[in-house]
Amino acid sequence: MSCPEQGWFALPDSWPLEPLTTRTFITMVLPLFVAYLLTAVLVITPGTYAVRISLLPLSLWLAFRSCTRLEANVGNAEWVGNNLALMTVVGVIIMRITGWTFQRHHFVRTGTRERAVLIDACDLCCNFRGIGWDWTSGAPPPPQRHLDKRAFALNALLGYTINALLFEFALLLRDNIFPPSPLRLPFTLRRLLQALIYPISTYAHLQAYYHIYSLLGVFLLSQSPASWPPLFNRPWLSTSLSEFWGRRWHQGFRDMFGRVGGQRVLGTFLASGVFHDLGIWGMSRRSGLCCNLTAYFGMMALGIGAEYAVRRCTGKRVSGTCGRVWMVGWILGWAVATMGEECMHDFYRSMTINWLVRPVQITGYYRRP
């Protein structure tokens, strides 16, 4: 990312970075996956708390090595988003390992027949909302329709198409509002639109990917459609920050952030900020971290605290039209305040790697002479 000067945690030029190849995947990435699976096996096995504690330092070292030694864009500046993807995977794994390490009681499957420990461990590694387990993400899943497999497939394909096209629109908007831009917009309007791209594109591409994964889960792994409730719960209907972040935005990482953040609002949001900044740092390890999201997520926690104070003083929740205006203003306002235009532009470059959810771009690419 563009830095006027060296940012935080910059790797020196002498620090070796190796391209992600079959060899480096086997030697650097695969051991971390094995540690992830092993921790999952241990956390569903009674009496393994001490073993999990002893395994944690090795897992942390494996994650550190993957973050600081691998380069997933293989020298191509246009693929810098691959490094963000690598850091995201490593961040998810090490945060979940850390949370599971300090889990006092082992996890138990619910509502299913007894299965092999390894199969349950694999399910746990891919299960972020506690569906089918005695733990949950802390938020009720969005309401879902009970569909048979045929209706589920049609709904998933339609959802994928709509959200993939919405994602393409967000990228088109991105290309037209960042300098040098063909659209001459007032500065304030341009900055607000730039801030709006992130929630739109995040919602669209996560939804589209989720529909792909749900089809694989139901038709390849023979899972029930009930195992795939909606990822989001219509976040545009939110009338407060608490409702937006606590119920309607995706809750996939809520359990992970909560465990690492100490199950407190501020700690949870700071854990989210560090997780997002790890991905940003992955795209700029030589120049360091000069653009970050931790401050932004910290302000989201502060806003939720303000809503709690209002409720304590007035006995009423923040809601209605005033609540919606407050929520939108706080979310977009702090996005503008905490990330400059150049930082946003560089950060959004990472979105171009999402080929699976860019049908228009893929079609255009393969139709080139």
Side-chain angles (χ1 to χ4, degrees):
M1 284 194 168
S2 305
C3 279
E5 55 188 28
Q6 194 173 62
W8 297 342
F9 313 117
L11 296 180
D13 293 336
S14 59
W15 188 277
L17 286 174
E18 299 184 51
L20 182 60
T21 62
T22 302
R23 180 187 65 82
T24 55
F25 178 84
I26 293 173
T27 57
M28 293 190 186
V29 179
L30 188 59
L32 182 60
F33 286 168
V34 172
Y36 184 38
L37 181 60
L38 179 56
T39 306
V41 169
L42 292 172
V43 80
I44 63 177
T45 305
T48 60
Y49 182 73
V51 181
R52 281 180 268 134
I53 291 289
S54 64
L55 181 62
L56 181 60
L58 175 61
S59 300
L60 291 172
W61 178 78
L62 291 173
F64 175 80
R65 186 178 64 160
S66 298
C67 287
T68 59
R69 294 291 301 277
L70 286 178
E71 190 172 44
N73 65 322
V74 293
N76 189 333
E78 295 299 318
W79 295 354
V80 70
N82 290 349
N83 288 327
L84 182 146
L86 173 65
M87 297 300 151
T88 299
V89 172
V90 173
V92 166
I93 289 176
I94 200 57
M95 281 192 167
R96 298 200 84 192
I97 286 177
T98 302
W100 293 345
T101 295
F102 297 102
Q103 171 68 25
R104 286 286 184 177
H105 305 289
H106 69 284
F107 295 141
V108 178
R109 292 280 293 182
T110 61
T112 59
R113 66 183 185 276
E114 186 174 347
R115 299 186 299 183
V117 171
L118 190 59
I119 294 177
D120 280 346
C122 290
D123 182 277
L124 182 62
C125 287
C126 301
N127 193 324
F128 290 86
R129 291 192 281 181
I131 297 172
W133 292 86
D134 64 345
W135 61 274
T136 66
S137 64
Q144 64 173 329
R145 293 172 292 175
H146 297 284
L147 305 174
D148 58 31
K149 286 193 173 183
R150 181 177 179 276
F152 180 84
L154 292 175
N155 183 71
L157 290 172
L158 178 61
Y160 167 81
T161 302
I162 293 174
N163 286 286
L165 292 176
L166 178 60
F167 182 63
E168 296 266 26
F169 171 76
L171 294 185
L172 179 64
L173 183 62
R174 176 202 65 179
D175 294 338
N176 283 275
I177 62 175
F178 281 99
S181 170
L183 298 179
R184 297 186 177 275
L185 300 173
F187 175 78
T188 302
L189 177 59
R190 187 176 78 245
R191 293 289 284 128
L192 288 175
L193 287 175
Q194 290 168 356
L196 189 60
I197 289 176
Y198 184 72
I200 292 176
S201 59
T202 299
Y203 172 86
H205 92 269
L206 287 182
Q207 281 278 65
Y209 274 120
Y210 188 76
H211 287 303
I212 294 175
Y213 298 148
S214 69
L215 289 172
L216 295 176
V218 170
F219 291 97
L220 288 185
L221 302 180
S222 299
Q223 294 177 330
S224 167
S227 298
W228 294 89
L231 183 62
F232 291 84
N233 186 11
R234 297 180 292 179
W236 52 87
L237 297 181
S238 303
T239 57
S240 69
L241 290 171
S242 302
E243 182 182 6
F244 180 85
W245 292 113
R247 287 181 49 212
R248 295 193 177 276
W249 195 246
H250 81 86
Q251 304 297 306
F253 295 153
R254 178 174 177 145
D255 176 77
M256 180 179 78
F257 293 150
R259 291 179 186 276
V260 176
Q263 304 295 351
R264 296 292 185 269
V265 172
L266 179 59
T268 299
F269 274 99
L270 290 180
S272 176
V274 171
F275 170 78
H276 285 83
D277 282 345
L278 178 64
I280 296 176
W281 176 77
M283 296 191 293
S284 58
R285 284 172 288 180
R286 292 298 188 194
S287 58
L289 187 66
C290 58
C291 307
N292 67 84
L293 287 170
T294 299
Y296 171 78
F297 283 105
M299 295 310 299
M300 295 303 102
L302 183 62
I304 290 176
E307 291 183 354
Y308 177 75
V310 169
R311 184 183 176 188
R312 288 291 301 271
C313 293
T314 66
K316 297 180 180 179
R317 296 178 181 270
V318 174
S319 62
T321 302
C322 291
R324 181 171 286 113
V325 171
W326 144 259
M327 176 202 70
V328 172
W330 192 264
I331 290 175
L332 296 185
W334 281 110
V336 171
T338 56
M339 287 198 78
E341 190 170 47
E342 195 169 285
C343 285
M344 282 188 180
H345 185 251
D346 281 350
F347 181 50
Y348 291 157
R349 283 195 301 136
S350 66
M351 297 176 184
T352 58
I353 68 171
N354 293 286
W355 292 103
L356 280 177
V357 293
R358 299 186 63 190
V360 175
Q361 182 70 17
I362 291 175
T363 303
Y365 177 81
Y366 284 111
R367 286 183 177 177
R368 291 176 183 176

